[in-house]
């Protein structure tokens, strides 16, 4: 059986202590409660502080949970709330469009698929929940990059790989794509990531009007496009879905 890493166990115990006890605790309190030497406790706290998981009050010297840990916790809750709020609307979008529906959020340098509704036919399909899609070439990724400053920073500093001859990789050209996405309120990918595949996506906002994800449809170019253009009724359906989820999250003006 693999042995647990003692330092990680101690760090986890500290975080639980800070989460469940008083708002702030001193070094002596933490060390004595966990049965650790002060030097050992201080070393672990210093590491947690450097990573943003713990903060130290300058006046009292006491420790409390840090903003990074709270951000991670809120992110977890937000994703699950987003998925729960989107379930009915994404099912409706799949039925009305006849295409696969994806719900994605920013994760590291890509788009994490957190919900996937199959195309409503008898074709064989693979569930892509947990899959990572590129930011720069997919409709979901373009929408996130256009509306989320963090996503924009990630895609601007990252490697924009050419997946097909249609992939936009140049910095100025890509910024133009994001400007157009913001102006229209939706983004698209026509054979930029996969040959023969097109997609349309729109942003989802929360009660603070902050972008928390994107929803879109993906299908064969011949179904999603008509006469070389994206079908307007599909674009409208995706935007309506995004607005509906945003309203359910408290963004009343969407």
């Amino acid at each position: 059986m693999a042995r647990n890493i003692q330092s990680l166990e101690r760090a986890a115990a500290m975080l639980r202590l800070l989460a469940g006890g008083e708002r702030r605790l001193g070094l002596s309190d933490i060390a004595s409660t966990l049965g650790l030497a002060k030097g050992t406790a201080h070393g672990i706290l210093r590491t947690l502080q450097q990573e943003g998981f713990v903060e130290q009050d300058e006046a009292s010297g006491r420790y409390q949970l840090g903003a990074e840990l709270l951000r991670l916790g809120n992110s977890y809750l937000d994703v699950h709330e987003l998925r729960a709020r989107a379930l009915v609307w994404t099912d409706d979008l799949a039925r009305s469009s006849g295409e696969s529906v994806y719900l994605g959020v920013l994760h590291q340098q890509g788009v994490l698929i957190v919900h996937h509704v199959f195309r409503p036919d008898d074709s064989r399909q693979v569930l892509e929940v947990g899959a990572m899609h590129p930011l720069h070439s997919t409709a979901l990724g373009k929408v996130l990059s256009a509306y989320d400053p963090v996503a924009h920073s990630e895609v601007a500093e990252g490697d924009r790989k050419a997946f097909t001859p249609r992939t936009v990789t140049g910095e100025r050209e890509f910024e133009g794509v994001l400007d157009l996405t913001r102006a229209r309120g939706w983004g698209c990918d026509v054979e930029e990531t996969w040959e023969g595949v097109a997609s349309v996506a729109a942003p989802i906002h929360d009660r603070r009007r902050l972008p928390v994800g994107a929803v879109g449809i993906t299908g064969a170019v011949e179904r999603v496009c008509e006469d070389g253009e994206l079908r307007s009724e599909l674009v409208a359906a995706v935007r309506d879905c995004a607005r509906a989820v945003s309203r359910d999250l408290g963004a009343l003006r969407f």
Side-chain angles (χ1 to χ4, degrees), residues 21-72:
E22 298 178 21
R23 178 174 173 79
R24 293 173 179 164
L25 293 172
L27 174 61
S28 297
D29 296 326
I30 294 172
S32 61
T33 300
L34 299 179
L36 300 173
K38 280 189 178 181
T40 300
H42 184 255
I44 296 173
L45 284 167
R46 187 171 61 246
T47 300
L48 291 172
Q49 186 177 358
Q50 290 172 349
E51 295 299 323
F53 296 139
V54 163
E55 295 175 356
Q56 186 178 28
D57 180 67
E58 293 183 2
S60 66
R62 290 175 173 266
Y63 295 90
Q64 65 183 26
L65 293 180
E68 178 65 14
L69 187 66
L70 297 176
R71 185 189 69 79
L72 291 175

Side-chain angles (χ1 to χ4, degrees), residues 159-181:
D159 178 26
R160 292 182 292 276
K161 177 182 177 182
F163 296 105
T164 76
R166 291 175 174 264
T167 309
V168 176
T169 59
E171 181 179 355
R172 181 175 299 180
E173 188 179 6
F174 185 73
E175 288 298 333
V177 169
L178 298 187
D179 288 341
L180 180 60
T181 299

Side-chain angles (χ1 to χ4, degrees), residues 26 44 53 56 67 82 106 112 129 147 157 206 229 250:
I44 296 173
F53 296 139
Q56 186 178 28
L82 172 62
L106 175 66
L112 174 66
V129 172
Y147 288 90
E157 298 171 3
D206 66 6
E229 299 290 336

Side-chain angles (χ1 to χ4, degrees), residues 75-119:
S75 174
Y76 176 82
L77 293 174
D78 286 347
V79 167
H80 283 264
E81 182 183 6
L82 172 62
R83 184 178 180 277
R85 297 287 185 177
L87 287 176
V88 172
W89 300 111
T90 50
D91 282 349
D92 287 346
L93 179 58
R95 281 194 294 269
S96 65
S97 67
E99 301 295 345
S100 299
V101 176
Y102 294 90
L103 186 68
V105 299
L106 175 66
H107 181 67
Q108 297 177 352
Q109 290 85 38
V111 182
L112 174 66
I113 303 302
V114 297
H115 185 52
H116 175 197
V117 184
F118 283 164
R119 184 171 66 255

Side-chain angles (χ1 to χ4, degrees), residues 214-251:
V215 63
I217 61 169
T218 296
V221 171
E222 59 267 23
R223 295 197 307 268
V224 178
C225 298
E226 186 175 19
D227 297 328
E229 299 290 336
L230 291 157
R231 290 170 55 193
S232 59
E233 67 270 23
L234 294 181
V235 173
V238 169
R239 297 191 70 189
D240 286 345
C241 177
R243 291 191 191 103
V245 179
S246 295
R247 285 195 297 269
D248 274 4
L249 288 172

